[in-house]
Each structure stands twice: as C-alpha cells, then as structure tokens.
C-alpha cells in the first residue's frame, strides 16, 4: 500500500524535475559562425542535401552500421583542429592511424568520397569534404530514427592534419570529471556533454575499449550484461565487438539513457554519467523525455559542427577527400576564389 501511494508522488516529482530542467536550460540556438550560412549552397548547389540523403538511404539499406560510423567520423574530425576534414586525409601516419581513432570504418570514409564525387559532378567542385561529413552525420541521425535538423554550411577543407591533436579526444575509460574537462576546453557545458554522449545510442565498440570494466569486474555494471560481454570478449585484444545500446542498437533514440539507469552502459565514460551529481539529473531527464534529448543533442551537434572551421579563402575545396589538392600557381588560385565568391551572389 505504501509503495502504491508513493508511485504517484514519484511520477509527479519526475515530471516536475523534467520541466525544471527544460525551463532552466531553454536557450537560443547556437549562433552561426561568420562565413557559414544555412543557405550557403542554395543557389550554387540547390540539390546538395537531397543528393546526400538519397545516397545514404541506399547505403544504409545494405549496411546500417555505417550510420554510427559516419557520426563518429564527424565527431572525431571536429574535435581535432576543427571541422576541416583532417580525419579524412591519408598520411604516414595520419589521424586515423592514432589509437583514439581505432576502428574508423574505411567503408564510411569511402561513402563520404563517393558522395563528393556525385556532388562535384552535379555542381562542380564547390562543396567541401568537411561540409559533406557534417551532412552525412546529420542524415545518419535522422535516417535511423533521430531528429531532422538544419546545419550551417560553408566550411573549407584543411591543408593538414594533426596526429598529436587526437590525444585530446575524450576516451571511453574516462570518468565524468575528465570527460567534462575535455569538453570544457572547447567551450561545451554539462548539458552538451550528456547530450552528445547519447550518440552511443547506436553503433558497436571493440573489446579493448571497455575490457577495463570486465577485468576486474566493475561493480557498477549489470551482472547479466557483464556475463554477455565477458563471453564476447575473452581478452582486451579480441577483435570482437559489442553493441553500445543493448535495447535498440541500430536506432537513434533515448534508450541509451535507460541503459545507464539500469547499469547497462558499456563504456566507463557512459556509465559514470549516472554516478556524477553534475550529470545524473540530465541522464534521468533524457531517459524520460526523448524530445528533450533530441533538442539538446541538436543544439550541441550544431555547436560542435562549427568548431574552428575554415571559411572564405581559408583552406581549399578538395578534389578527393583523402588528399590535399596539388599546388597551383597563385594566379590560378586567385581566379578560382573570385569565381567562387561571385557564384555565391
């Protein structure tokens, strides 16, 4: 009887808590960085976004694992020297060869360049690989059940990459405090961090990224999940993978947060969000309100997509996403820039 009477109070408290979170954190959409625009290609490549979405629908029909792979490429590109397509570049070694980028799928990288080829054939070489990466990430979210949203465009591709910069990428072994510090260095707040962590609502992880929780066994992990993961991963070097979201592993939704509430998060960095008082309330709120999660995820993603971008005359528009363009004469470069600027008006 006591339990029955307590339930309505718990429900009311939960609703009030969510309302408080929502009301206290409603804010203006992230401002658009100078040089970017929501209508950047409206005149020069009006079919751009429909081309990207149409191609990805075909790709995901055969390989839905590319959706989380493309979102990961976007995040790992933007977090290292900005959203400039540096992760796409080949090198000896490249950013992709660094430990933090282990498991980046070559198929997803090829998909980005395939889209580039289609777009450049349709519109000419005016759309950057950096912009295509952002659009592919957005559509990876939407086509798997997540929110649809507009993204500002106009990025240019970088001329270099940073292997040392990959050390700044948040690690799956991190506690919440370390994760928050890594994001704070790039001006992301607690809500941004918890919302962006929700990207782990789909995709898979290699054993080495979470074996630290299996040996010795992390008491914060659900015992049934622990047994399943131990069976999948006999050791840290196993080439096997496990779903990051045990409920809906191929759908972009808020079930990841339900996993955390049930001690079924896979990474230390995920499950520890429920243990830290700065993030626990947001985990609970997003678990109970998918609309709220989607809103905060979109805001944080748009913010992320504008990190240290190159615009205007900076960088270049690559002819292939994995290599920088051959050097040109100064006159040729100036003429191309003038033509591109004229096309925008």
């Amino acid at each position: 009887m006591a339990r029955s009477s307590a339930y309505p109070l718990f429900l009311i408290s939960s609703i009030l808590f969510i309302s408080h979170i929502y009301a206290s954190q409603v804010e203006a959409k992230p401002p658009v960085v100078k040089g970017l625009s929501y209508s950047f290609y409206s005149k020069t490549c009006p079919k751009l976004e429909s081309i990207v979405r149409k191609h990805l629908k075909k790709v995901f029909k055969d390989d839905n694992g590319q959706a989380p792979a493309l979102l990961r490429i976007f995040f790992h590109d933007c977090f290292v020297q900005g959203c400039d397509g540096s992760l796409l570049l080949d090198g000896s070694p490249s950013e992709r060869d660094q430990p933090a980028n282990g498991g980046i799928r070559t198929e997803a990288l090829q998909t980005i360049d395939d889209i580039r080829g289609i777009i450049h054939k349709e519109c000419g070489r005016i759309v950057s690989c950096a912009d295509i990466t952002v659009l592919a990430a957005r559509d990876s979210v939407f086509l798997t059940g997540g929110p649809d949203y507009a993204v500002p465009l106009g990025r240019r591709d970088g001329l270099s990459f940073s292997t040392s910069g990959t050390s700044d990428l948040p690690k799956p072994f991190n506690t919440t405090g370390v994760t928050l510090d890594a994001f704070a260095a790039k001006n992301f707040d607690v809500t941004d961090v918890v919302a962006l962590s929700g990207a782990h609502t789909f995709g898979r992880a290699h054993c080495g990224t979470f074996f630290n929780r299996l040996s010795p066994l992390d008491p914060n992990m659900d015992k049934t999940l622990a047994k399943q993961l131990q069976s999948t991963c006999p050791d840290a070097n196993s080439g096997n993978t496990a779903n990051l979201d045990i409920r809906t592993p191929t759908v972009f939704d808020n079930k990841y947060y339900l996993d955390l509430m049930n001690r079924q998060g896979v990474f230390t960095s995920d499950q520890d969000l429920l243990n830290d008082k700065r993030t626990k309330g947001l985990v609970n709120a997003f678990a109970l309100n998918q609309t709220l999660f989607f809103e905060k995820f979109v805001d944080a993603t748009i913010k992320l997509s504008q990190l240290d971008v190159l615009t205007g005359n900076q960088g270049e528009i690559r002819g292939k996403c994995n290599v920088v363009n051959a050097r040109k004469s100064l006159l040729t470069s100036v003429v191309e820039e003038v033509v591109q600027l004229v096309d925008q008006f």
Side-chain angles (χ1 to χ4, degrees):
M1 187 71 174
R3 179 180 298 178
S4 176
S5 61
Y7 179 76
L9 291 175
F10 171 78
L11 183 60
I12 292 171
S13 297
S14 298
I15 293 172
L16 289 173
F17 177 77
I18 294 170
S19 299
H20 171 71
I21 289 287
Y22 184 82
S24 63
Q25 299 194 26
V26 166
E27 55 189 35
K29 293 294 181 182
V32 177
V33 170
K34 183 178 180 181
L36 300 185
S37 167
Y38 284 103
S39 59
F40 192 85
Y41 299 108
S42 61
K43 294 181 180 179
T44 57
C45 194
K47 295 181 180 179
L48 169 61
E49 297 194 35
S50 62
I51 289 172
V52 175
R53 185 161 293 185
K54 180 179 180 181
H55 186 77
L56 288 179
K57 283 181 180 179
K58 294 178 182 178
V59 170
F60 297 161
K61 186 175 181 181
D62 296 327
D63 183 5
N64 60 16
Q66 284 203 42
L70 287 166
L71 185 58
R72 184 177 183 227
I73 287 171
F74 156 71
F75 178 84
H76 283 225
D77 179 46
C78 291
F79 215 82
V80 178
Q81 76 174 29
C83 304
D84 63 351
S86 61
L87 181 66
L88 311 178
L89 289 172
D90 294 336
S92 299
S94 67
E95 286 182 19
R96 299 195 306 274
D97 297 319
Q98 304 310 302
N101 285 322
I104 292 288
R105 288 191 59 182
T106 56
E107 298 92 341
L109 293 166
Q110 184 60 53
T111 291
I112 291 172
D113 199 58
D114 288 345
I115 293 172
R116 175 209 55 75
I118 298 170
I119 290 170
H120 286 187
K121 183 177 180 180
E122 170 76 21
C123 304
R125 200 172 79 189
I126 62 170
V127 181
S128 67
C129 296
D131 270 349
I132 293 169
T133 299
V134 170
L135 287 171
R138 187 272 306 275
D139 284 354
S140 294
V141 169
F142 173 66
L143 293 175
T144 54
D148 195 7
Y149 54 97
V151 289
L153 300 170
R155 297 163 192 78
R156 304 270 290 177
D157 295 319
L159 302 175
S160 64
F161 54 80
S162 174
T163 54
S164 61
T166 61
S167 63
D168 294 333
L169 284 163
K171 298 172 179 59
F173 321 104
N174 288 350
T175 57
T176 299
V178 177
T179 300
L180 291 177
D181 287 345
F183 278 92
K186 297 186 181 294
N187 202 32
F188 290 92
D189 62 26
V190 175
T191 303
D192 295 328
V193 173
V194 180
L196 288 172
S197 297
H200 292 164
T201 190
F202 62 179
R204 301 179 67 83
H206 286 84
C207 294
T209 60
F210 57 83
F211 194 78
N212 65 301
R213 301 192 67 204
L214 302 179
S215 181
L217 185 61
D218 186 342
N220 286 319
M221 180 177 284
D222 173 72
K223 291 182 179 179
T224 300
L225 175 62
K227 289 180 180 179
Q228 293 173 349
L229 294 179
Q230 287 172 330
S231 176
T232 300
C233 299
D235 58 65
N237 298 318
S238 171
N240 295 333
T241 59
N243 290 322
L244 286 171
D245 175 2
I246 67 171
R247 285 173 167 75
T248 52
T250 62
V251 179
F252 194 96
D253 55 21
N254 69 332
K255 299 301 187 292
Y256 158 85
Y257 299 101
L258 291 177
D259 294 338
L260 301 189
M261 291 179 71
N262 287 281
R263 299 189 300 120
Q264 293 165 334
V266 175
F267 293 150
T268 298
S269 59
D270 289 331
Q271 191 57 56
D272 198 51
L273 293 174
L274 190 69
N275 299 330
D276 193 295
K277 63 182 180 181
R278 293 168 291 183
T279 52
K280 182 177 181 178
L282 285 162
V283 170
N284 292 333
F286 291 162
L288 293 167
N289 189 333
Q290 181 168 275
T291 300
L292 179 61
F293 161 52
F294 281 179
E295 178 192 338
K296 298 307 179 184
F297 177 83
V298 168
D299 287 350
T301 300
I302 293 174
K303 189 174 176 180
L304 175 64
S305 76
Q306 300 185 87
L307 272 182
D308 300 324
V309 292
L310 302 176
T311 61
N313 295 327
Q314 299 173 314
E316 65 180 10
I317 305 297
R318 290 184 205 144
K320 283 189 67 66
C321 291
N322 61 321
V323 292
V324 296
N325 299 333
R327 287 183 175 273
K328 301 174 183 177
S329 69
L330 178 60
L331 177 60
T332 301
S333 297
V334 169
V335 170
E336 286 188 353
E337 297 296 346
V338 170
V339 170
Q340 185 184 28
L341 288 172
V342 169
D343 284 342
Q344 298 302 321
F345 296 97

